[in-house]
Amino acid sequence: MSLQENVALVTGGSRGIGRAICVELARQGAAVAVNYAGNRAAAEETVQLCRELGVEAEAFQADVADPAACDALVAAVKERWGRLDILVNNAGIARDGLLMTAKEEDFAQTLDTNLKGAYFCTKAAAKVMLRQKYGRIVCLSSIVGLRGNPGQTAYAASKAGVIGLVKAAAKELAGRDITVNAVAPGFIETDMTAVLPEKAKAAMLGTVPKGRPGSPQEVARAVAFFAGRECAYITGQVLCVDGGMAV
């Protein structure tokens, strides 16, 4: 599979799964727009990793919770490269807390970034892709959006909402060769999971038939599959990269 001459925008691309996605798309030949919210230094590290693979890459700052910022982000990418072939909605936050004690503002912030951000970016990118009569949109959901998880009501709601967004947008955009799919990671080794207590990690691993956490690169390869031109007849789907957790 090759993504030569494709232009990809990855939100939340400065580190973790987002960085792995940027690097994988670059490895397959795509020019990469690395979006970040606040950590420009980390985003520039991702840019450098992509450029070392022989592709063009640049960092673009935008808070995806702001619809105007999403419009400006997509416009900036199109101005730079003249087109936008791939959008990966990866930016996300987690504000964990039990249902009875969670703060309303944490719930709102989680939905603003994880769900509204995906909506705003998808809407902005779709305008470009509809004119091109081509596009690939991939949204990062989560196994938590499918199964739920104690202490993550806000995160689960946001990631379940992403799946609904994907399925509806897929039906709307399919006629213009624009596919919309979701990747749902399970327990993946990232900065976020690295800080979990060992007891919590062990409990989570106990639910993974493969018996190990996944890597960001394994998630990135699933995203790259959906981003390919060959993936023209698959849309509205959710691919779990979870070692069997959802089985």
Side-chain angles (χ1 to χ4, degrees), residues 95-104 106-107 149-155 157:
R95 298 285 186 267
D96 295 344
L98 294 172
L99 174 64
M100 301 308 295
T101 57
K103 298 178 181 178
E104 183 180 347
D106 288 340
F107 185 87
N149 198 43
Q152 289 193 301
T153 50
Y155 189 74

Side-chain angles (χ1 to χ4, degrees), residues 138-153:
V138 187
C139 297
L140 271 291
S141 181
S142 169
I143 193 68
V144 173
L146 291 166
R147 296 181 58 192
N149 198 43
Q152 289 193 301
T153 50

Side-chain angles (χ1 to χ4, degrees), residues 45-230:
E45 290 176 4
T46 303
V47 166
Q48 185 57 34
L49 290 171
C50 293
R51 288 176 177 170
E52 289 172 0
L53 293 167
V55 302
E56 295 182 348
E58 286 190 23
F60 294 82
Q61 192 281 329
D63 179 358
V64 299
D66 178 353
C70 294
D71 288 341
L73 171 63
V74 169
V77 174
K78 185 176 184 298
E79 181 178 2
R80 169 63 179 82
W81 281 288
R83 60 184 298 111
L84 176 59
D85 303 287
I86 301 163
L87 168 67
V88 181
N89 287 309
N90 169 76
I93 63 172
R95 298 285 186 267
D96 295 344
L98 294 172
L99 174 64
M100 301 308 295
T101 57
K103 298 178 181 178
E104 183 180 347
E105 55 265 35
D106 288 340
F107 185 87
Q109 288 174 8
T110 303
L111 264 65
D112 283 349
T113 299
N114 299 2
L115 180 53
K116 286 186 178 180
Y119 171 77
F120 296 144
C121 288
T122 297
K123 185 175 183 179
K127 293 176 183 177
V128 177
M129 293 175 176
L130 284 167
R131 288 192 291 270
Q132 296 174 172
K133 297 183 180 180
Y134 177 81
R136 299 287 182 262
I137 299 172
V138 187
C139 297
L140 271 291
S141 181
S142 169
I143 193 68
V144 173
L146 291 166
R147 296 181 58 192
N149 198 43
Q152 289 193 301
T153 50
Y155 189 74
S158 70
K159 292 302 187 178
V162 165
I163 292 173
L165 168 65
V166 162
K167 290 182 177 295
K171 291 185 175 182
E172 290 189 24
L173 303 174
R176 292 296 184 96
D177 197 14
I178 301 168
T179 63
V180 190
N181 291 290
V183 172
F187 182 28
I188 308 298
E189 287 185 316
T190 64
D191 293 344
M192 188 181 299
T193 58
V195 300
L196 291 173
E198 290 303 318
K199 186 176 181 180
K201 292 181 186 179
M204 194 171 296
L205 279 175
T207 68
V208 182
K210 285 286 288 183
R212 66 167 178 84
S215 71
Q217 290 73 27
E218 288 173 309
V219 177
R221 285 192 286 271
V223 171
F225 166 71
F226 279 139
R229 287 185 177 270
E230 299 89 342

